[in-house]
Amino acid sequence: MKRKNKVTMNDIARAAGVSQATVSLVLNQSRNIKLSEETRQRVIAVAGELGYDRLPAIHSPRNQEEIALLISSLQSYDPFVDAISQSREAAWRNEVLLTVYDYGDDNPLALNIIRQLEKRNCVGIILASPVTTVVDMTAFQDCTTLPLVLLNQRDPDSPLLPSFVPDDYANAFQLTRHLINQGARRIAHITGESWMEATRQRLAGYHAALAQAGITPQPEWVQQTNWQFNQSYQATVALLNQAARPEAIFCASDWLAIGCYQALSAHGVRVPDDMLVAGYDDQNISEQMTPPLTSIQLPYGELGRLAVEYLCHAEDTATHLSLAGRLKIRRSTAANL
């Protein structure tokens, strides 16, 4: 049975007879631009009829209660944007506002923001990072009595500080196992920088899947980069020059996979006929690559929603939640798709 396509804002715009920008303003509850109530209601009605799954709530926040989300830094293309989107919608459903502060890795600035939040009707604070990381939150806990939650980061020395993170180990394990199930035995891994928690966990999951399958990993199969296209390109060339060329390459991000694709194409290596390639993060571009890229869809949206609901429900348990993502199999690892 053919899977139903996901409803997009462009679909809603066409059906409602408005622009995609208008749909975005309505569904994101923007009041900065004046739109007629009739237009707002029409867009919401059409979105509901089409089965759009992110409809806004129909009420207004009470007493200007808010949850503050402090994020270290963020790029517009980063999949972590999904966490912010779902956090905002979860806050709205729970009748609170979500305010987002990008403090640019400037901890004194973050601490100053938190001190200001103490004077407002703030329900709690989510301290977030777009990169899964291990952090020391001592200074943040000491500066406020407001409830704190970590999103996409954790502090091993603060077991009572709730955290919500993706399970990079399990994700890398399932992706590597998929490549093994496709018949590959020599599986290379192009990684990011070794200091990053995400890199370490993905590498560990990769090794665990190989070990479970009885495959002895070779040191030369692992190529470290700094997440740049050109380094991924060079890493792929190094893999192709090995006496026993790998049969599959697991890239630690979809952006690294782009450099990998470029190197394979330049050397006449076809994907997936001559080489299986998989990425990580399930960026929007992964479906547009030729061939479409198998990747891991990270559960950022769900984690953001759960972090907000934890604060809204005034939970007092030391929750540490780690969620695995969804393997999105495409033609880069399955020629018959």
Side-chain angles (χ1 to χ4, degrees), residues 222-233:
V222 177
Q223 298 285 322
Q224 184 180 325
T225 73
N226 65 356
W227 304 104
Q228 299 300 311
F229 292 168
N230 63 331
Q231 290 214 355
S232 178
Y233 185 103

Side-chain angles (χ1 to χ4, degrees), residues 82-102:
D82 289 342
I84 297 177
S85 175
Q86 289 298 306
S87 296
R88 177 188 56 77
E89 293 180 19
W92 190 261
R93 285 193 298 271
N94 284 275
E95 300 183 319
V96 298
L97 296 172
L98 179 75
T99 52
V100 180
Y101 303 86
D102 185 343

